Amino acid sequence: MLVLNNIEVKYQNIILVLRGVTIEVPEGKIVSLLGANGAGKSTTLKAISGMLYPDEGKVTDGSIEYNGIRIDGLRTKAIVDMGIVQIMEGRRTLEQLTVQENLIAGAIGRNPTRGELKKDMDRVYSFFPGLKDAKNQTSGYLSGGEQQQLVVGRGLMSHPKLMLLDEASLGLAPLLVKEIYAIIERLNKEENISLLVVEQNAQAALNIADYGYVMENGRIVLDDTGLNLLANEDIKEFYMGLTQVGEKKSYKTIKHYKRRKRWLG
Amino acid sequence: MSTFIQLMISGVAIGLIYALAALGVVVVYKSTKVLNLAPGGLLLICAYIAWTFLVRVNLPIPIALGLAVILAVIIGWVVERVALRPLIGQPILASIILTNMIWFFFRGTTFLFWGGNPRMFPSWLSGRPTINIYGIGIPEIMIWCIIVSILSITALVIYFKFTRSGLAMRVTAEDVVVAENLGINITRVYSYTWVICLLLFLITAFFVGSIQGISQDLDFIGVYGVIVALLGGLESFPGAIIAGLVIGIVQSLTGGYLAGVLGGGIAETTPFIVMFLVSFFRPYGFFGLERIERI
Ligand SMILES: Nc1ncnc2c1ncn2[C@@H]1O[C@H](COP(=O)(O)OP(=O)(O)OP(=O)(O)O)[C@@H](O)[C@H]1O
Ligand SMILES: [Mg+2]
């Protein structure tokens, strides 16, 4: 479905951030992309969705193909129309607008009829019943969990076939993370939406992922099935902060360990 | 007492007209973050175009105004497409310089084609100089000013609140990156904002022209429009309306009561005095935009 073929991304023509990234998202699957701060995960998603443009970034090498069509270089609108939507990190709700207006905003590009719009909103409310109760509320006053639901729901309004999800768990309580990922999994199973899920919280992402990639310094350093990665010792060390006995490691020792042992470079 | 009420009503009427010009500036600023300093020139061109259809071509008023609306739409579209589109995302100083140039460009154009001579709109009022309401004589034009500006503002609110392209505009105004991300056609939003701006300027130009004739003084009204927009907080609709009313009323009252003492120019100066006073005490205007902060 989606193939990133050895892509290189530069910001402002000089800052090389992705150095040859190859990723594949097969139809109907959930693929996760893991990595620490600054690894280049969001940049990868922006490259796919055409959102590098506002940051003056560009795919300078390699290619991105969606169902056999090259999409690198297209504007976001065209890519959204093709069925790819990115849920940006940081829960970018439109705070001045109501929940319902946020959802309609997600559908404007398709210009649906009133009936279709109503049906689409009902679909979102069926996955996120909490949003229905809050539909006339200004979205800036929603809780963090509800805001995350809203941006996912808003993405759903564009009828995506592929959803790019950026750090949905950030800053949410473990229970909420579980809840949102359970719904993500349902979107995949029930609506047949393929997913590329970016996370620092490896556990949350790998629990639902068919396949996973690990990124460091703009390169893919490891890729394997979700189950294998979940069992991988290094992943446990780096991204779950667990040692074999299962106790939490302090941030400091992880940092230290990371400095000594890098997968690459 | 009746003088006071008359002055108040004139103030409200003029203030609403200023508010319309200011709303043109606000609409553009909200969506594109371009500070439009060109209303002076744009009001002039709108007024002369309306005058041409009304007087030179001598068309019936509805047809003439309809054609003027079409030309205003075209000017708005072209100005955005040619001059401002390349400026998106550039520092605000670039847009300030450019819109200033647009101002002088259109001012020059009106000199070129119309010689810069003062003109009058044909009188379209019923002919009764004043209308009596509870014994207070109100000039008919003031009543029209109030009715048409309230209708225009209502139309604007309905457009933003209940139509999809209005929503697209609000989305773009709040977060252009999210608008892009959702597949909203942002370039179309930019075109529409300028078209709306020009329509508001056309209404302003028509009424100011009907009150005081068409002359280079329309520049002043453009400057008032910018001042009112700034006072209102630049991003706020209610702010622009309230600021317009304040300036209009203060101007009307000072003109009515103080012109004899301080000379005729006082009414033209008061908007600037209010501007200085407000910017001294409230540098963000009456209504800075309220951002929702959540921890
Ligand atoms: N607009 C930009 N201009 C220049 N450099 C940028 C820009 N955006 C990101 N970068 C750089 O690119 C690198 C990767 O950033 P990116 O946001 O893709 O990381 P990430 O893996 O998503 O990190 P995080 O987990 O913190 O979100 C970082 O080193 C960052 O400094
Ligand atoms: Mg990121």
Side-chain angles (χ1 to χ4, degrees):
Chain A
M1 179 174 225
L2 180 80
V3 183
L4 276 67
N5 202 344
N6 209 14
I7 63 162
E8 189 182 276
V9 168
K10 281 185 191 152
Y11 283 114
Q12 288 111 33
N13 272 322
I14 36 168
I15 309 166
L16 180 64
V17 174
L18 298 190
R19 315 147 192 260
V21 169
T22 300
I23 288 177
E24 190 179 342
V25 184
E27 173 113 44
K29 300 285 186 212
I30 301 180
V31 174
S32 73
L33 176 59
L34 309 175
N37 276 322
K41 308 178 298 293
S42 299
T43 303
T44 308
L45 294 193
K46 287 184 202 164
I48 301 167
S49 65
M51 289 293 293
L52 287 172
Y53 174 83
D55 293 333
E56 288 180 63
K58 230 178 145 179
V59 179
T60 48
D61 200 6
S63 67
I64 304 176
E65 281 175 28
Y66 177 65
N67 293 333
I69 302 165
R70 268 192 82 155
I71 58 168
D72 48 300
L74 293 186
R75 286 296 297 267
T76 307
K77 172 146 184 46
I79 293 169
V80 172
D81 289 345
M82 293 170 90
I84 302 180
V85 72
Q86 181 190 358
I87 316 295
M88 288 186 286
E89 69 191 319
R91 299 194 267 284
R92 306 266 295 252
T93 56
L94 298 156
E95 298 186 338
Q96 315 277 330
L97 307 188
T98 66
V99 167
Q100 186 167 304
E101 286 169 337
N102 265 274
L103 293 181
I104 298 172
I108 288 181
R110 277 189 311 118
N111 202 18
T113 64
R114 272 174 180 280
E116 284 168 357
L117 191 64
K118 171 106 197 356
K119 244 173 68 188
D120 290 348
M121 284 198 278
D122 286 342
R123 175 166 86 136
V124 172
Y125 293 146
S126 77
F127 283 103
F128 304 106
L131 292 183
K132 186 169 189 176
D133 303 328
K135 70 178 178 185
N136 293 319
Q137 257 184 50
T138 306
S139 68
Y141 294 117
L142 295 179
S143 71
E146 288 168 323
Q147 290 192 348
Q148 188 62 49
Q149 296 183 355
L150 179 57
V151 292
V152 173
R154 190 173 66 190
L156 216 48
M157 293 295 286
S158 68
H159 287 193
K161 299 187 189 69
L162 171 64
M163 191 180 267
L164 314 170
L165 188 61
D166 202 348
E167 306 218 23
S169 74
L170 202 71
L172 294 186
L175 203 64
L176 287 175
V177 175
K178 231 173 148 174
E179 213 177 280
I180 194 104
Y181 272 98
I183 293 170
I184 301 294
E185 199 171 13
R186 277 181 59 204
L187 290 179
N188 174 254
K189 298 281 171 308
E190 294 169 25
E191 305 282 322
N192 197 32
I193 296 172
S194 314
L195 281 140
L196 179 54
V197 178
V198 158
E199 267 300 345
Q200 291 194 47
N201 182 339
Q203 182 94 50
L206 290 177
N207 275 337
I208 62 165
D210 300 294
Y211 204 81
Y213 294 82
V214 178
M215 181 176 250
E216 206 174 84
N217 269 327
R219 287 194 182 89
I220 301 295
V221 289
L222 183 66
D223 66 282
D224 209 333
T225 63
L227 282 177
N228 283 349
L229 287 180
L230 214 44
N232 184 302
E233 292 303 323
D234 283 334
I235 297 280
K236 278 188 188 166
E237 287 274 1
F238 287 130
Y239 297 106
M240 299 177 205
L242 296 171
T243 60
Q244 269 142 340
V245 261
E247 83 214 19
K248 284 239 181 252
K249 264 199 167 184
S250 82
Y251 182 69
K252 212 172 145 191
T253 45
I254 294 174
K255 274 281 254 226
H256 180 63
Y257 178 64
K258 220 167 117 180
R259 233 177 286 132
R260 265 193 295 122
K261 186 187 165 195
R262 289 248 170 203
W263 274 306
L264 261 181
Chain B
M1 188 61 198
S2 91
T3 317
F4 176 75
I5 293 175
Q6 275 170 347
L7 289 174
M8 282 299 284
I9 291 176
S10 298
V12 168
I14 303 291
L16 285 171
I17 294 297
Y18 292 163
L20 290 187
L23 286 174
V25 176
V26 169
V27 166
V28 166
Y29 185 79
K30 273 179 87 89
S31 290
T32 65
K33 303 293 177 268
V34 164
L35 178 55
N36 179 6
L37 293 183
L42 294 167
L43 287 171
L44 271 172
I45 189 85
C46 284
Y48 277 108
I49 284 172
W51 177 83
T52 303
F53 288 129
L54 281 165
V55 177
R56 181 64 59 76
V57 191
N58 199 12
L59 294 167
I61 289 178
I63 298 178
L65 291 184
L67 288 173
V69 164
I70 293 172
L71 266 167
V73 167
I74 293 173
I75 292 174
W77 190 83
V78 169
V79 164
E80 192 278 327
R81 192 64 263 260
V82 174
L84 288 139
R85 182 81 52 91
L87 238 69
I88 296 300
Q90 299 300 315
I92 194 160
L93 189 61
S95 71
I96 288 174
I97 292 169
L98 193 90
T99 54
N100 244 305
M101 283 163 60
I102 294 172
W103 176 2
F104 292 117
F105 172 80
F106 281 108
R107 210 183 131 97
T109 311
T110 56
F111 266 109
L112 193 64
F113 290 110
W114 289 277
N117 299 321
R119 313 275 184 186
M120 295 297 284
F121 284 130
S123 99
W124 49 274
L125 301 167
S126 68
R128 276 181 297 168
T130 58
I131 290 181
N132 269 306
I133 299 175
Y134 296 114
I136 294 164
I138 315 280
E140 187 188 352
I141 182 76
M142 295 302 167
I143 294 176
W144 281 109
C145 280
I146 292 173
I147 293 174
V148 172
S149 2
I150 288 175
L151 285 180
S152 311
I153 290 167
T154 312
L156 210 57
V157 169
I158 289 174
Y159 171 76
F160 278 109
K161 198 80 198 161
F162 297 109
T163 70
R164 281 185 204 168
S165 75
L167 178 63
M169 226 172 255
R170 283 193 289 153
V171 174
T172 310
E174 189 176 328
D175 192 335
V176 68
V177 175
V178 169
E180 175 99 32
N181 172 246
L182 296 176
I184 286 173
N185 192 338
I186 293 169
T187 50
R188 191 190 294 163
V189 166
Y190 290 156
S191 296
Y192 282 16
T193 53
W194 276 89
V195 166
I196 291 174
C197 169
L198 260 285
L199 289 174
L200 289 165
F201 286 175
L202 176 64
I203 301 170
T204 309
F206 180 69
F207 278 98
V208 175
S210 297
I211 295 171
Q212 61 178 42
I214 308 159
S215 69
Q216 300 297 320
D217 285 352
L218 273 173
D219 261 2
F220 255 111
I221 308 297
V223 175
Y224 294 163
V226 174
I227 287 180
V228 168
L230 287 170
L231 283 181
L234 206 48
E235 296 207 54
S236 160
F237 279 33
I241 296 167
I242 290 171
L245 289 171
V246 168
I247 296 279
I249 291 169
V250 168
Q251 203 174 28
S252 174
L253 293 180
T254 47
Y257 289 121
L258 299 180
V261 191
L262 296 172
I266 185 67
E268 277 76 48
T269 324
T270 41
F272 300 98
I273 297 172
V274 175
M275 168 85 188
F276 281 127
L277 288 178
V278 173
S279 56
F280 191 74
F281 293 109
R282 292 206 57 153
Y284 294 103
F286 291 147
F287 289 79
L289 192 65
E290 167 197 356
R291 290 243 175 253
I292 296 166
E293 296 286 354
R294 210 161 205 305
I295 305 159

